[in-house]
Amino acid sequence: MHPAFRHPLSRPRPARPPAAAGPRPGRRRTGAALLAAALLLTGCAAGTDGPVPARAPAHPSGSVQLWHHYTGREAAVVQSAVDDFEKKYPDVRVTVHSGQQDTKITQVVSSGGDVDAMITNVNTTLGTACKTMEDLAPWMRRDGVSAHDFQGIFAEATAFDGRRCSLPTTSDVYGLYFNKDLLARAGYTTPPRTLQELERMALKLTTYKADGSIRTLGFNPLVGFQQNTAATLGHAAGVRWMKDGDASVGSTPEWRQLIAWQQKFVRKIGYNKLKTFTAGLGDEWSADNAFQTGRIAMTLDGEWRVAFIAEQAKKLRYGTAPFPVLAGSGQHYGGGFVSAADIGVNKRSPRKEAAWTLVKYLTTDTAAAVKLANGIKNIPTLKSAAASPGLDAPAPYRTFIDASADPASDTSPVTEIGSTLTATVDDFWTGYQQGPGTGLAPGLRKVDKDIDNALGLRRAK
């Protein structure tokens, strides 16, 4: 799937190794930049929902333009699923436009371009694009498709503002990776279940060189390191982002508790030491990944890392587990932060029946969902696909399937400003972690103000 749901969230991802599963996020963008991008999408296309024919045609026909963000090997997987669709529905022809970022897709849709169906990213795009997308609820009722066909949070997350804008395809789920050998040497046989336990274990697992610099790190607590973001870490404390349509970061105790815990953790090792160590690590998406080479004992990552390890670090003895939760926060252990790709129909499309047939196939056909999950190396959102014997699910990967169905799994809320919501917290947190740990409450109130201002600008359009 496209990053965040890769994560995190939802930033362009770099090219992957040919045989490996894929990176989610790439370069981080600031809240201001993300807001500017969101505002570009406000010239939303007109168009109307339905009407939906009373019965599905016995032989759907027509030409469909499908746009999506996948490239390279992943695009080939999507094309293979489309080829299967055309064999099942020989009177429907699908032209695939691959490698199209969400901003480009939404702009083309808004300008009246020839897009019938689109795969985008929930966290980044759904809130800005929903009103240009067909309400699928009447089509689902007609054809017997239920939101209950999908597991966990995914069906809920792919609707917005009372509209069933889309359906989920595949998902990213985040958890803890741990090096079994490094933990065993330190006397540990099981992974941590709370953040406080993670911190204690990480400090014991961290080793230093004669000059005091870090040799091996138990866990890198820096926000901004690889998959460490406000969204992925925030899930560990069950944080609340919004209340009654306004930002509630500053009024949520769990945010203050989580950020205070992380900042103290950083100080115990030393911010400058951590930055120096991090700067010397190999690329996240290469065989030099710090966890894969044993330079970091535990890390927060997504399900795709299982395939990377199988390709790039075959001898690594590792395990996976749900990410630890903040003790005292009330968050249940066992779930994880999730982020999904979704697919919908352009409300302006003159070929809605054929486009819906494609969307329905890619999301609700078990074989198609298994093919996409196995090929893209993401977690299937369709319940029947998650339970299918055809799903390639080694034990480390199964952790993420189980987490995706856990009631505690959640994602950052879909809003009209997309990832500006999470990026605003990221921007504050990356600065706050460098300092002495003062000014947290007023800083988070400022975060709320910035988010609400961005929402106000967007809603005024």
Side-chain angles (χ1 to χ4, degrees):
M1 153 199 115
H2 188 60
F5 222 56
R6 291 170 197 194
H7 60 103
L9 276 311
S10 327
R11 295 182 293 273
R13 60 181 152 184
R16 305 178 177 187
R24 293 336 193 223
R27 191 171 50 224
R28 188 179 302 270
R29 299 169 68 186
T30 66
L34 285 164
L35 174 60
L39 291 175
L40 286 174
L41 307 179
T42 57
C44 296
T48 58
D49 294 314
V52 180
R55 295 181 182 178
H59 301 286
S61 61
S63 298
V64 175
Q65 304 286 326
L66 171 65
W67 290 56
H68 67 71
H69 49 247
Y70 296 107
T71 60
R73 181 186 57 79
E74 292 181 332
V77 174
V78 176
Q79 183 63 59
S80 178
V82 169
D83 292 343
D84 293 342
F85 168 80
E86 290 183 327
K87 291 176 183 176
K88 184 173 182 178
Y89 299 99
D91 294 329
V92 180
R93 282 285 170 259
V94 182
T95 301
V96 179
H97 302 263
S98 60
Q100 306 296 321
Q101 291 299 318
D102 286 12
T103 302
K104 170 70 174 298
I105 295 173
T106 313
Q107 288 174 337
V108 172
V109 169
S110 297
S111 64
D114 197 11
V115 179
D116 298 301
M118 66 199 89
I119 299 175
T120 57
N121 182 273
V122 170
N123 303 71
T124 305
T125 307
L126 188 61
T128 62
C130 183
K131 64 182 178 180
T132 73
M133 301 165 78
E134 178 82 357
D135 185 355
L136 299 181
W139 301 86
M140 293 169 66
R141 286 193 296 269
R142 186 195 72 179
D143 293 353
V145 176
S146 170
H148 296 296
D149 296 337
F150 304 92
Q151 57 180 344
I153 186 69
F154 303 113
E156 177 185 343
T158 47
F160 177 67
D161 200 25
R163 291 174 54 79
R164 164 54 60 193
C165 324
S166 63
L167 287 173
T169 55
T170 60
S171 169
D172 286 329
V173 182
Y174 292 78
L176 182 74
Y177 285 74
F178 58 95
N179 186 309
K180 290 183 176 180
D181 290 334
L182 292 179
L183 264 64
R185 290 173 198 168
Y188 299 114
T189 57
T190 57
R193 294 172 65 92
T194 68
L195 293 183
Q196 291 85 343
E197 187 181 3
L198 170 71
E199 178 185 341
R200 290 192 296 270
M201 291 175 62
L203 292 174
K204 185 175 180 180
L205 286 159
T206 299
T207 63
Y208 297 89
K209 300 176 183 178
D211 62 1
S213 61
I214 299 170
R215 182 188 305 276
T216 303
L217 189 59
F219 178 85
N220 193 334
L222 291 179
V223 171
F225 170 71
Q226 295 186 359
Q227 304 301 314
N228 294 357
T229 68
T232 56
L233 292 171
H235 175 270
V239 298
R240 187 179 66 193
W241 294 84
M242 305 286 295
K243 182 180 180 181
D244 299 328
D246 296 323
S248 60
V249 175
S251 61
T252 302
E254 289 78 14
W255 272 117
R256 297 192 296 274
Q257 295 163 11
L258 175 66
I259 296 175
W261 165 81
Q262 182 266 355
Q263 201 272 346
K264 290 177 182 176
F265 186 2
V266 169
R267 290 178 66 187
K268 287 177 182 178
I269 299 174
Y271 176 78
N272 290 333
K273 284 185 179 181
L274 287 167
K275 287 294 289 185
T276 300
F277 176 80
T278 300
L281 297 177
D283 180 77
E284 179 181 2
W285 308 113
S286 74
D288 289 330
N289 174 279
F291 177 75
Q292 294 175 189
T293 58
R295 298 200 66 192
I296 293 180
M298 298 180 288
T299 196
L300 168 64
D301 214 335
E303 81 292 330
W304 62 84
R305 183 60 53 192
V306 172
F308 270 82
I309 292 171
E311 172 66 20
Q312 298 173 343
K314 294 181 174 64
K315 295 183 179 180
L316 180 66
R317 295 186 65 251
Y318 76 102
T320 60
F323 195 71
V325 299
L326 184 68
S329 68
Q331 178 65 303
H332 169 73
Y333 176 79
F337 178 81
V338 302
S339 173
D342 64 323
I343 182 169
V345 174
N346 181 2
K347 193 159 59 172
R348 273 186 167 183
S349 170
R351 299 171 285 270
K352 291 180 182 178
E353 187 75 64
W356 161 244
T357 304
L358 174 65
V359 167
K360 182 173 62 173
Y361 175 81
L362 293 177
T363 56
T364 68
D365 184 275
T366 301
V370 168
K371 172 174 277 193
L372 289 170
N374 285 345
I376 299 176
K377 303 301 182 186
N378 287 162
I379 302 299
T381 58
L382 186 67
K383 288 179 180 177
S384 61
S388 171
L391 186 66
D392 182 13
Y397 179 83
R398 178 61 60 179
T399 295
F400 299 94
I401 295 178
D402 294 343
S404 72
D406 192 285
S409 286
D410 205 352
T411 187
S412 55
V414 174
T415 71
E416 299 94 332
I417 57 174
S419 286
T420 300
L421 174 71
T422 56
T424 303
V425 183
D426 281 334
D427 289 347
F428 166 77
W429 199 346
T430 52
Y432 184 80
Q433 68 185 349
Q434 304 176 40
T438 58
L440 180 56
L444 291 180
R445 287 196 295 270
K446 175 64 162 51
V447 165
D448 281 345
K449 182 178 179 180
D450 290 344
I451 291 172
D452 287 340
N453 285 341
L455 286 166
L457 288 171
R458 182 64 175 88
R459 289 166 180 168
K461 293 291 182 178

